[in-house]
Amino acid sequence: MFTIITGSQFGDEGKGKIVDLMSGDYDLVVRFQGGNNAGHTVKVGEDVYKLHLIPSGFLLDSRVLIGPGTVVDPEVLAEEMDMLAEGGIELSPEKMGVDAKTSIIMPYHIELDVMREAKRTEKIGTTGRGIGFAYIDKVARDEIRMADLTSKDKLLQRLSELAPSKEAAIRELDGNPGIVMDEQLIDKYVKLGERLAPYITDVSYEVNKALDDGKSVLAEGAQGTHLDVIHGTQKFVTSSCTIAGSACANIGVGPTKVDSVLGIVKAYITRVGEGPMPTELFDDAGKQIQTVGGEVGTTTGRSRRCGWFDLPLLKKAIYLNGYTSIALTKLDVLSNLDPIKVCVSYELGGEVLDYPPEDAADLAACKPVYEDLPGWENDLTAVKSFDDLPQAAKDYVLYLEDKMGVPVDYISVGPAREQTFRK
């Protein structure tokens, strides 16, 4: 079985928790895009793991893989491995693999990222971690790959080829061009390469071989659908393709192998950074959702903007991903809000739209058209089944399910693994 999981909104929908919950049923869990600009939090009992690169299945028996469509800061990866080791979780080469073709985020990528964002008159909300510039180099065929870190001679050869253009680009942005060929940084990356060398693998081969052998594979995406570099809210997007179809290209497996696509949907909507968000709330309801939901970015520490559920955006996510089922998260956060509003369409220039306009500026100008649903006062965090939900909460789930046209398979009422149940 081959299952793909993606976020259906602007990221932060709770993918890490759902992947952790499901990974016990899968032999391989594979991260297929993004870098350490994405974060996921896994909570088991009193233990909380905040990670940015390592796939969520590390707690169970799954082998976790980082695919060639990702970009990896090797220092961050090593720090995550050390953090898990301190908690008694050792990631051996038998437990984790990193594709040889994975692009490496180099110090000059981070320098370029920070300097470029500082020069923008209209910020796009980059995390400053070099992700975009690493992807630029991938497309330009100027990348450093994981395999290049395993040999100092190989790394120096690649850097000597790239140095003139990188130094010139940094100099133009008033940055420090000496960072490109800094000897101490090069030695550090070579040591990181030596440490990670035993983990290098061919992810495409592993996945295809596993499927041929009747094993199960779970592909884990980062960020969310509307941050997709092609289909998202340009220019306020990430640097990679976040939708389900990109899992096949970024891992290296044919689309005919896909059996199911699970969309992670928050019971409301949030966004970190800049960009249009038609249902954003600036009132007490928005503050309550942000506070109760703990809406702070795992990676950036920035407060997330909060809004009511946006059906037009969700409809587009369903089209883009081809979801076969939905996991609805953070239903508990909506307790003690009455009414609960759902955006069913937009008003733009005197027209009513039930699907988002292509242009991000037009989306920013859209006024949400709401339907009101009754709220509930009950604390949902101890609920263990759909039947035990208060009627208003059940009605909200069934209403969304009907409007989405995709079955809700999972419902989450808290951050812990045991706070998620099948509908």
Side-chain angles (χ1 to χ4, degrees):
M1 173 181 283
F2 184 26
T3 299
I4 301 170
I5 289 184
T6 70
S8 66
Q9 295 154 318
F10 293 106
D12 308 308
E13 301 93 352
K15 295 181 294 298
K17 172 188 173 169
I18 300 299
V19 172
D20 170 63
L21 179 74
M22 296 175 61
S23 60
D25 297 327
Y26 289 84
D27 299 292
L28 299 178
V29 178
V30 191
R31 169 78 177 272
F32 65 84
Q33 48 76 222
N36 59 299
N37 56 338
H40 53 253
T41 302
V42 176
K43 185 173 187 286
V44 182
E46 296 302 315
D47 297 323
V48 178
Y49 303 95
K50 293 180 180 291
L51 299 170
H52 307 277
L53 287 170
I54 297 172
S56 306
F58 65 90
L59 283 172
L60 298 175
D61 293 333
S62 310
R63 173 164 163 79
V64 296
L65 299 172
I66 297 174
T70 60
V71 291
V72 168
D73 184 325
E75 186 172 17
V76 171
L77 180 56
E79 288 171 354
E80 290 190 3
M81 293 167 66
D82 290 340
M83 182 265 290
L84 292 177
E86 288 174 7
I89 301 170
E90 293 287 346
L91 292 184
S92 67
E94 288 70 40
K95 177 67 174 176
M96 185 180 76
V98 184
D99 197 274
K101 300 181 292 298
T102 301
S103 290
I104 296 301
I105 298 171
M106 299 296 292
Y108 53 78
H109 291 134
I110 298 170
E111 182 81 0
L112 286 165
D113 195 355
V114 172
M115 299 306 299
R116 180 68 184 92
E117 182 74 357
K119 294 285 186 180
R120 291 183 187 274
T121 53
E122 184 180 14
K123 308 299 182 186
I124 62 173
T126 173
T127 59
R129 285 162 170 78
I131 311 297
F133 283 90
Y135 272 115
I136 288 171
D137 278 0
K138 178 183 279 292
V139 175
R141 282 84 81 194
D142 284 340
E143 63 185 335
I144 304 287
R145 292 181 167 189
M146 179 62 72
D148 295 326
L149 294 189
T150 60
S151 163
K152 185 171 184 177
D153 289 342
K154 188 185 294 186
L155 179 60
L156 285 172
Q157 181 180 344
R158 286 293 291 145
L159 284 174
S160 64
E161 295 168 3
L162 301 172
S165 63
K166 300 304 173 193
E167 290 168 350
I170 293 172
R171 196 175 292 112
E172 186 178 347
L173 291 170
D174 300 321
N176 173 24
I179 201 169
V180 179
M181 296 299 293
D182 183 280
E183 289 186 15
Q184 287 186 327
L185 288 175
I186 291 171
D187 286 342
K188 181 171 78 171
Y189 270 59
V190 169
K191 288 178 181 176
L192 287 166
E194 291 172 352
R195 176 178 177 179
L196 295 172
Y199 294 86
I200 293 177
T201 187
D202 183 335
V203 167
S204 173
Y205 177 76
E206 277 206 44
V207 169
N208 281 286
K209 186 70 167 59
L211 293 172
D212 284 347
D213 292 343
K215 295 181 179 179
S216 53
V217 179
L218 184 63
E220 176 189 29
Q223 290 98 20
T225 293
H226 300 294
L227 297 181
D228 185 272
V229 70
I230 298 172
H231 300 285
T233 55
Q234 285 285 0
K235 60 185 174 179
F236 309 100
V237 295
T238 193
S239 306
S240 57
C241 290
T242 62
I243 60 176
S246 73
C248 294
N250 285 328
I251 292 173
V253 61
T256 56
K257 301 289 182 70
V258 178
D259 296 291
S260 59
V261 183
L262 176 66
I264 314 301
V265 181
K266 196 177 280 187
Y268 46 98
I269 194 168
T270 61
R271 180 166 197 164
V272 173
E274 309 300 323
M277 183 178 163
T279 67
E280 183 172 6
L281 293 169
F282 301 96
D283 58 6
D284 289 342
K287 292 175 184 175
Q288 181 173 326
I289 290 172
Q290 185 180 74
T291 301
V292 176
E295 294 298 351
V296 177
T298 304
T299 298
T300 63
R302 294 180 290 185
S303 295
R304 296 173 186 145
R305 300 152 59 194
C306 299
W308 296 118
F309 197 98
D310 190 321
L311 274 169
L313 281 177
L314 211 287
K315 182 177 181 180
K316 182 170 183 176
I318 291 168
Y319 279 170
L320 291 174
N321 291 278
Y323 292 135
T324 55
S325 61
I326 296 292
L328 187 69
T329 64
K330 290 203 164 185
L331 183 63
D332 56 298
V333 176
L334 296 182
S335 293
N336 302 307
L337 290 168
D338 193 10
I340 294 173
K341 295 179 178 289
V342 176
C343 172
V344 294
S345 59
Y346 304 136
E347 288 183 356
L348 178 65
E351 292 185 44
V352 176
L353 308 175
D354 63 359
Y355 196 79
E358 278 281 88
D359 188 82
D362 288 339
L363 182 62
C366 285
K367 305 298 181 186
V369 177
Y370 289 114
E371 287 186 2
D372 290 357
L373 282 78
W376 59 89
E377 294 182 356
N378 313 58
D379 179 0
L380 305 187
T381 55
V383 172
K384 300 296 184 184
S385 71
F386 182 73
D387 289 341
D388 291 338
L389 289 171
Q391 189 59 50
K394 288 184 194 174
D395 291 343
Y396 183 69
V397 174
L398 295 173
Y399 172 89
L400 293 182
E401 189 175 52
D402 177 66
K403 292 291 186 180
M404 291 186 294
V406 181
V408 174
D409 268 7
Y410 295 92
I411 297 171
S412 173
V413 291
R417 185 188 289 166
E418 60 271 17
Q419 289 176 298
T420 302
F421 52 86
R422 281 189 173 272
K423 174 172 169 292

